[in-house]
Amino acid sequence: MHDLRTFLDTVRRERPRDIIDISRPVSPKHETAAILTKLEQSYRFPILFFHNVAGSPFPVVTNVCGSIARLALALGCSVGELSRVYATRCAQPIKPVITNTAPVQELVLTGQEVNLESFPRFVYHEDDASQPYITAAIVVARDPETAKSNLSFHRLMIVDRSTTAIFMARGKHLDQIYRKYESVSEPMPIAAFLGVYPACSLGALYTGSACTEEYDIIGGLRQSALSLAKCVTNSLHVPADAEFVLEGSVPPRTRVNEGPFGEFTGYSTGSMSCPLFKVQAVTSRQDPIFQDIVSGHSEHLLLPILGMEHHLLEAARTAVPTTVNVRLLVPLTAYVALEKKDDSQPQRVIEALWGSDIYAKQVIVVDADVDISDLRQVATAVALHVRPDRDVYINRPTLGTELDPSCESSDGTTAKLGIDATVPLASTRRVVKNRVPKHVLDSINLSELLQTA
Ligand SMILES: Cc1cc2nc3c(=O)[nH]c(=O)nc-3n(C[C@H](O)[C@H](O)[C@H](O)COP(=O)(O)O)c2cc1C
Ligand SMILES: [Mn+2]
């Protein structure tokens, strides 16, 4: 079994300090976010299990995927192996299987029985909208042309007992699918599920072709087929062992004011106009656990990294096969290490990454001897090796993200930046990094030296 509960049990067994049970009543308005913030300020990133959230009967877990050690635990590998294991398993997808017995359908509420206002009413930041959000929802939809299913996370702002707003970033797969339904004035059937094993969250964040079904990737990550159940009110499928499912549809051409909402960038950027999600049914376990992700905090930042780094590395290697690695350490920025064979390669990587993802706004390319996990080394390479009149690339306005505070257009249009901070191969000056000769370095026996000194 690979569900949220088995993962919490594994964490209690293997990393007991990684989970904190909080039994006293807490407010969902600012207080849970404040507890998480205080812990993060002291470099602690545990799962928080709130057993008593004011105004809601449901216990809540948050920060399930808030540490890299827990992601490694979930995939059964070491932290150092995570990227390689993610890549290997994504390359071996496993199709899901359909089951008729779904724990997530033990309770079924439809029509008038649906009441999203019984959910915990989470508000995180001071300047966020006062309406509560569901943040850990993974949305499944089916492309009407290809019949492929798609998974992605979407923040859902609760509007009333049976309605939420749904934010779909422009250009991502769900937005593309919604446009197809909207163009023929049809509602888009969706289901949003929450309360899952981390492999499910990581698989939903796989970034790649619309033809790749994320359910197959989740199977690959788990190394076993995911069990799916057919929804009660539509023909979509959801993980049978999730905690909650919201079934319904997004009607065409309805919009509501949504936000402001503090995002992964660390900023909110005003309110937006978002489509509505009309909820027809809520199914759950008998005693469901509500999963939450505090927006803009460690879990939100960490979760998408594996999928995005994997995707950008593939895109960079398609352009230049000797790309060594890609790291994403700050929002909207990709650092790329290149074993450069000719001086045109950095530009080719920059252009490939610009086009590969709306979130790849800045692309900084360095030589392979720069450690791209170390911001100081990257900043030094930019300071020393860049001649701004030659090595800086700016592309024409293109699709980025409206969540970018510098983006002034609600359609996400922005310019993108590329910096080639590699040392020119054909330089007229010989530029060599300081190095003490390795054989001399190896010959020094420090403990012997310190004893005699
Ligand atoms: C916690 C969390 C919340 C997210 N919220 C949204 C959201 O509200 N809207 C959105 O478009 N993407 C959101 N994302 C990002 C998408 O899930 C991500 O871009 C996904 O890979 C897109 O899937 P696709 O490649 O199938 O389009 C969120 C990601 C995380 C981890
Ligand atoms: Mn997709």
Side-chain angles (χ1 to χ4, degrees):
M1 275 282 277
H2 278 92
D3 62 11
L4 174 65
R5 294 165 193 232
T6 57
F7 185 64
L8 295 176
D9 289 344
T10 306
V11 173
R12 286 190 195 282
R13 199 175 55 244
E14 304 288 330
R15 304 184 59 86
R17 286 167 55 84
D18 266 25
I19 182 160
I20 298 179
D21 287 283
I22 298 173
S23 303
R24 76 159 168 86
V26 291
S27 169
K29 185 166 183 181
H30 305 316
E31 192 179 9
T32 60
I35 294 170
L36 192 77
T37 304
K38 277 268 184 189
L39 284 159
E40 286 178 354
Q41 284 170 352
S42 57
Y43 299 99
R44 293 192 61 191
F45 306 92
I47 297 173
L48 300 176
F49 200 142
F50 297 108
H51 295 270
N52 188 346
V53 176
S56 171
F58 304 117
V60 173
V61 283
T62 195
N63 215 30
V64 171
C65 299
S67 92
I68 195 130
R70 284 201 294 283
L71 294 184
L73 180 66
L75 295 192
C77 65
S78 70
V79 167
E81 291 166 337
L82 253 184
S83 297
R84 191 183 50 75
V85 164
Y86 186 88
T88 312
R89 294 197 193 162
C90 287
Q92 294 160 357
I94 299 174
K95 290 258 166 235
V97 292
I98 310 294
T99 177
N100 290 323
T101 49
V104 77
Q105 292 173 346
E106 284 167 359
L107 287 183
V108 176
L109 301 175
T110 57
Q112 294 297 316
E113 296 168 319
V114 169
N115 183 11
L116 303 179
E117 289 171 354
S118 72
F119 285 168
R121 301 180 66 77
F122 282 114
V123 179
Y124 308 115
H125 306 108
E126 201 164 359
D127 296 309
D128 283 359
S130 55
Q131 281 110 314
Y133 273 82
I134 302 168
T135 50
I138 299 174
V139 171
V140 55
R142 192 176 290 124
D143 186 311
E145 285 169 10
T146 64
K148 299 271 184 193
S149 71
N150 189 73
L151 300 182
S152 41
F153 278 83
H154 294 272
R155 69 190 207 201
L156 304 175
M157 186 186 83
I158 298 176
V159 174
D160 62 33
R161 284 170 66 97
S162 61
T163 314
T164 79
I166 176 168
F167 168 59
M168 297 179 273
R170 200 172 149 229
K172 287 286 173 183
H173 293 157
L174 190 63
D175 169 66
Q176 291 172 11
I177 293 170
Y178 180 55
R179 281 163 196 270
K180 292 182 188 178
Y181 282 100
E182 216 176 26
S183 71
V184 291
S185 298
E186 290 282 334
M188 169 173 72
I190 62 169
F193 56 89
L194 57 153
V196 292
Y197 193 88
C200 196
S201 309
L202 289 172
L205 289 159
Y206 175 83
T207 307
S209 149
C211 293
T212 303
E213 298 193 84
E214 284 89 353
Y215 277 141
D216 304 357
I217 297 290
I218 294 169
L221 289 174
R222 291 160 40 111
Q223 298 183 293
S224 67
L226 183 65
S227 284
L228 299 181
K230 195 186 91 52
C231 284
V232 177
T233 59
N234 63 37
S235 67
L236 294 165
H237 290 89
V238 287
D241 58 8
E243 296 289 328
F244 278 102
V245 176
L246 282 60
E247 302 179 3
S249 62
V250 184
R253 282 181 281 284
T254 50
R255 296 292 186 274
V256 68
N257 257 354
E258 193 263 6
F261 186 70
E263 264 292 348
F264 73 94
T265 55
Y267 291 82
S268 62
T269 50
S271 60
M272 306 199 228
S273 177
C274 285
L276 292 173
F277 171 23
K278 293 282 184 192
V279 181
Q280 284 144 4
V282 172
T283 77
S284 71
R285 299 192 180 216
Q286 284 290 352
D287 54 347
I289 303 171
F290 186 91
Q291 187 171 4
D292 167 64
I293 293 175
V294 182
S295 184
H297 286 256
S298 50
E299 178 173 29
H300 193 182
L301 302 182
L302 196 56
L303 258 175
I305 296 291
L306 276 176
M308 277 176 51
E309 285 183 348
H310 172 67
H311 173 63
L312 295 183
L313 182 57
E314 300 256 292
R317 283 190 174 150
T318 304
V320 175
T322 51
T323 305
V324 178
N325 204 5
V326 175
R327 296 296 328 268
L328 302 166
L329 304 180
V330 299
L332 311 182
T333 306
Y335 299 117
V336 187
L338 207 61
E339 199 76 69
K340 192 170 69 165
K341 303 295 181 202
D342 77 67
D343 284 327
S344 71
Q345 287 180 332
Q347 185 186 355
R348 293 223 296 282
V349 167
I350 286 167
E351 286 171 355
L353 293 202
W354 279 344
S356 71
D357 197 88
I358 60 168
Y359 299 113
K361 176 193 180 193
Q362 303 192 96
V363 182
I364 297 173
V365 185
V366 298
D367 288 312
D369 64 349
V370 175
D371 177 1
I372 53 169
S373 299
D374 182 348
L375 285 177
R376 194 185 164 89
Q377 285 198 34
V378 177
T380 302
V382 171
L384 299 184
H385 302 312
V386 173
R387 227 186 66 185
D389 60 337
R390 180 193 63 194
D391 299 329
V392 173
Y393 300 86
I394 297 171
N395 86 336
R396 58 193 167 72
T398 181
L399 185 59
T401 166
E402 64 263 59
L403 302 181
D404 174 355
S406 76
C407 181
E408 277 159 20
S409 154
S410 63
D411 68 4
T413 302
T414 185
K416 293 192 172 188
L417 173 70
I419 298 178
D420 172 5
T422 60
V423 178
L425 293 171
S427 178
T428 47
R429 295 171 73 207
R430 219 171 98 73
V431 175
V432 180
K433 197 170 185 171
N434 299 351
R435 263 187 216 102
V436 175
K438 186 168 182 320
H439 68 279
V440 182
L441 199 62
D442 291 346
S443 73
I444 305 294
N445 183 331
L446 212 52
S447 50
E448 190 185 86
L449 192 79
L450 292 175
Q451 265 167 20
T452 55

